[in-house]
Amino acid sequence: MTASPRTLLTADDYLNRDDGMDTRYELVDGELLEMPPDSPENQTLARFLLIQLLQHFPLQQVVYNTEVEVTGRLARYRIPDLLVHSEESLAALRGAVRSTLTRDMPPPALVIEVVSPGEDNRKRDYRYKHTEYAARAIAEYWIVDPEVGQVTVCQWLEGQYEDRVFKDSDRIPSAIVPNLNLTVRQLFDSAR
């Protein structure tokens, strides 16, 4: 018996795909990767951060469910938990019918991932997305990790990310949100 070859999706296939379901997918090297529903804790953390960010940016600049095309062997799209548009990325989407930042568009200013339980999710957020977002030169990438109670802030400096880890009463520093007055403890207490 011979296995049939897999059909890999192109970027156009992915963008034109509609299965009539509400299931979220990321595209990784041409293959659909179903994104399971977030845990209640992760949803609460993302909502809390959304509220915090909306105190610093206009409503249309802070979003969720925006796809970001990233670099990979084949077509790749990620859906960060939260995204803060740069003025340029927001302008690039004006009039668009789909909230998708393709590689020919300017990058967002900030992406935030709340790490879901499981080793695969940890690897995806800490390793793969770290590399992919860096390749897009996204100014900041936050990895919010409820399992270990820390926030890693990856800031784009001189062509690469400089990562710093914050815990407990550390204030979360941000060049994108310079007046953010939020500690790691306050963030994680919001989900309790």
Side-chain angles (χ1 to χ4, degrees), residues 93-117:
L93 286 179
R94 282 201 183 92
V97 296
R98 184 177 178 134
S99 187
T100 301
L101 290 171
T102 58
R103 278 192 272 184
D104 61 336
M105 295 175 171
L110 168 66
V111 292
I112 299 173
E113 297 285 0
V114 181
V115 181
S116 296

Side-chain angles (χ1 to χ4, degrees), residues 45-161:
L45 290 167
R47 279 193 312 269
F48 181 79
L49 283 169
L50 175 68
I51 291 167
Q52 297 302 307
L53 293 169
L54 287 172
Q55 295 175 32
H56 301 274
F57 298 100
L59 181 63
Q60 68 273 19
Q61 203 167 348
V62 182
V63 295
Y64 54 92
N65 283 337
T66 293
E67 299 164 314
V68 179
E69 184 179 15
V70 295
T71 317
R73 242 180 354 104
L74 300 168
R76 239 175 228 236
Y77 286 83
R78 296 296 190 179
I79 306 171
D81 290 306
L82 288 172
L83 178 147
V84 176
H85 279 291
S86 62
E87 290 181 21
E88 297 80 10
S89 68
L90 185 60
L93 286 179
R94 282 201 183 92
V97 296
R98 184 177 178 134
S99 187
T100 301
L101 290 171
T102 58
R103 278 192 272 184
D104 61 336
M105 295 175 171
L110 168 66
V111 292
I112 299 173
E113 297 285 0
V114 181
V115 181
S116 296
E119 191 54 38
D120 287 344
N121 294 318
R122 298 185 71 68
K123 200 181 305 180
R124 185 171 35 253
D125 289 342
Y126 277 98
R127 183 176 181 181
Y128 302 124
K129 289 182 182 182
H130 186 278
T131 302
E132 294 161 356
Y133 293 151
R136 281 296 308 264
I138 296 171
E140 275 187 22
Y141 169 36
W142 295 4
I143 306 169
V144 177
D145 193 334
E147 186 175 317
V148 294
Q150 71 182 29
V151 175
T152 304
V153 176
C154 313
Q155 291 184 323
W156 186 251
L157 296 170
E158 299 178 10
Q160 65 183 15
Y161 277 142

